[in-house]
Amino acid sequence: MSKSWAVVTGASSGLGVAYAERMAADGANVVLVARSVDKMEKVAASLRAQHGVDTLVLAVDLTDRAARAELVELLKERDVSHLINNAGFGTINSFHEISEERILSELELNVVALTELSRAAVPGMLSRGRGAIINVSSTAAFQAIPEMAVYAAAKAYVLRFTSALWGELKTTGVRALAVCPGPTETEFFANAGRASAMRRRRTPEQVVDATFDALGRHRPFVVDGTINKVLAFTNRLVPVDLQVAVARHVATH
Ligand SMILES: NC(=O)c1ccc[n+]([C@@H]2O[C@H](COP(=O)([O-])OP(=O)(O)OC[C@H]3O[C@@H](n4cnc5c(N)ncnc54)[C@H](OP(=O)(O)O)[C@@H]3O)[C@@H](O)[C@H]2O)c1
């Protein structure tokens, strides 16, 4: 059995479960990280039964810096083949109506934890001459979005940070990839406070397929789905006032 591990954050739901399934199907042992232990134990049992891999469930609130320490140590010590920084959440509401606590948690999870975990994993990957840091961004990274101001800015950070890391690691055998899904069928919108927003959604499995296709082609980032790709790239040609007006409409309908 392989000694290497894939670490998947946000592995209790949505995209994280699909990433964990893909890694196990590819033969990697899987560390599942999130807060919901029961959900992760069910996923882990299914991975062991279906794929014969080892699993480790870590219940960690990744917004808590002290609680992240165990995971940081694990990333430094184990042979980690893939770190998939997938845990994240957004909020759909006016900036001044979102609590300060929620805004800080959103940044801590989507930006600070992702950066700290990447920093913990890269040196070991470099010493082994292989590995992949997969950071889940969003198509929200491509424009400012009223009613999702903090989320869109945080995901822009993930895209820029990861693309720069890709540039630093390019010749080392270690890869970095930012994944930009558009609306996808998960718990994301319910957790963001608007379950009914953006009904035309892709599946987690489609996002995972796009991820591993892009990883195989050594891309710095990937936008999942043809329509999402077209929207992300044409956005750059549109003046900011129009971009923002369209983004607000799309985020809230
Ligand atoms: N779905 C979309 O439309 C969409 C589009 C673009 C990007 N994304 C991104 O995709 C990623 C995965 O989200 P999803 O769509 O799969 O949504 P989801 O179903 O809500 O899953 C979010 C995952 O993050 C975990 N998580 C949330 N807060 C956490 C915390 N404080 N500590 C540890 N884990 C935490 C959740 O687990 P627990 O609650 O058990 O902790 C859950 O496993 C996110 O980064 C999201 O921003 C989603």
Side-chain angles (χ1 to χ4, degrees), residues 10 12-13 15 35-36 61-62 86 151 155 181 184 186-187 191:
S12 63
S13 156
L15 284 172
R35 294 165 303 179
S36 309
D61 180 346
L62 290 170
N86 161 77
Y151 180 74
K155 291 301 186 181
T184 305
T186 70
E187 300 301 313
N191 291 331

Side-chain angles (χ1 to χ4, degrees), residues 9-17 33-37 39-40 60-64 85-90 105 109-110 136-140 151 155 179-189 191 198 201 204:
T9 71
S12 63
S13 156
L15 284 172
V17 174
V33 186
R35 294 165 303 179
S36 309
V37 185
K39 287 188 191 171
M40 286 191 291
V60 182
D61 180 346
L62 290 170
T63 65
D64 179 337
N85 274 310
N86 161 77
F89 73 90
S105 290
L109 180 61
N110 295 353
V136 179
S137 175
S138 168
T139 49
Y151 180 74
K155 291 301 186 181
V179 180
C180 301
T184 305
E185 199 54 64
T186 70
E187 300 301 313
F188 176 85
F189 289 100
N191 291 331
M198 300 187 224
R201 298 183 191 169

